């Protein structure tokens, strides 16, 4: 089974950030970045699938300053391969899910992935729309709010609904 995991960089808010000139966003040029926490959780779930059923894990990220370090970390954790997608745009961590999805989908299309994992949201995109936008671009189903994945009887995902409620979806 081929599994893709999307990794994104986000501003490191613990380092302090400054607003840009027009006060509409943070000043990203000088902001320290880190891997998106929920994308790292998606990678951990993919690596569990690798251990339990032999999945092959590919991590993809848009080219951005510092992304190589996070891709090397993904390899060290057990990913089989990493792909850094070049773009014509600067500072990819500031892109919305809507603008990021077509770039990622262009590479993902026709690669034969059985599962594509993304984090639920990121600190500068609280709506968590990347999975939905990718699903639209690739004409695939989407399950949001997944906290665990299993592959005993086909793929199953534990979907969280809030208030402590969740259920397995296959």
């Amino acid at each position: 089974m081929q599994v893709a995991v999307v990794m994104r960089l986000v501003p490191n808010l613990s380092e302090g950030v400054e607003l840009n000139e027009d006060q509409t966003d943070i000043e990203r040029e000088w902001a320290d970045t880190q891997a998106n926490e929920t994308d790292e959780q998606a990678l951990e779930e993919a690596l569990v699938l690798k251990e339990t059923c032999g999945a092959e894990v590919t991590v993809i990220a848009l080219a951005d300053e510092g992304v190589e370090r996070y891709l090397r970390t993904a390899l060290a954790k057990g990913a089989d391969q990493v792909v850094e997608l070049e773009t014509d745009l600067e500072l990819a961590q500031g892109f919305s899910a809507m603008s990021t999805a077509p770039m990622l989908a262009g590479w993902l299309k026709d690669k034969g992935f059985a599962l594509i994992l993304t984090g639920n949201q990121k600190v500068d995109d609280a709506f968590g729309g990347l999975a939905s936008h990718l699903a639209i671009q690739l004409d695939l189903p989407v399950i949001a709010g997944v906290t665990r994945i299993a592959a005993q009887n086909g793929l199953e995902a534990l979907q969280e609904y809030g208030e402590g409620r969740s259920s397995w979806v296959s």
Side-chain angles (χ1 to χ4, degrees):
M1 168 186 354
Q2 301 268 352
V3 178
V5 180
V6 176
M7 293 292 289
R8 297 167 288 176
L9 294 180
V10 295
N12 183 349
L13 299 180
S14 67
E15 295 294 320
V17 293
E18 295 180 23
L19 294 177
N20 63 8
E21 279 187 31
D22 60 3
Q23 308 285 308
T24 58
D25 197 3
I26 65 169
E27 183 57 60
R28 293 180 186 276
E29 185 173 354
W30 307 111
D32 186 32
T33 58
Q34 63 187 27
N36 184 44
E37 184 179 348
T38 60
D39 292 343
E40 286 185 315
Q41 292 166 352
L43 174 59
E44 292 302 321
E45 286 299 314
L47 294 174
V48 168
L49 287 175
K50 179 178 179 173
E51 286 180 21
T52 59
C53 67
E56 183 177 318
V57 177
T58 301
V59 176
I60 63 170
L62 295 178
D64 206 346
E65 188 173 323
V67 78
E68 301 86 14
R69 175 175 42 155
Y70 300 107
L71 292 176
R72 282 193 305 271
T73 300
L75 285 171
K77 288 181 176 181
D80 296 293
Q81 71 173 358
V82 295
V83 176
E84 183 178 354
L85 300 178
E86 295 295 327
T87 69
D88 294 336
L89 306 169
E90 294 181 26
L91 297 173
Q93 79 264 10
F95 296 154
S96 69
M98 184 182 289
S99 62
T100 302
M103 293 182 262
L104 294 166
W107 187 85
L108 288 164
K109 188 176 177 93
D110 301 325
K111 294 284 193 285
F113 289 105
L115 182 64
I116 301 169
L117 300 173
T118 71
N120 194 36
Q121 62 187 31
K122 56 184 210 161
V123 297
D124 58 348
D125 183 13
F127 298 110
L130 182 59
S132 298
H133 288 291
L134 269 177
I136 290 167
Q137 292 284 321
L138 297 169
D139 195 27
L140 294 172
V142 64
I143 302 172
V146 172
T147 58
R148 195 167 9 149
I149 298 172
Q152 287 86 11
N153 302 317
L155 280 176
E156 296 179 313
L158 185 62
Q159 185 176 29
E160 187 175 287
Y161 302 113
E163 299 179 4
R165 296 180 301 127
S166 59
S167 68
W168 284 97
V169 179
S170 41

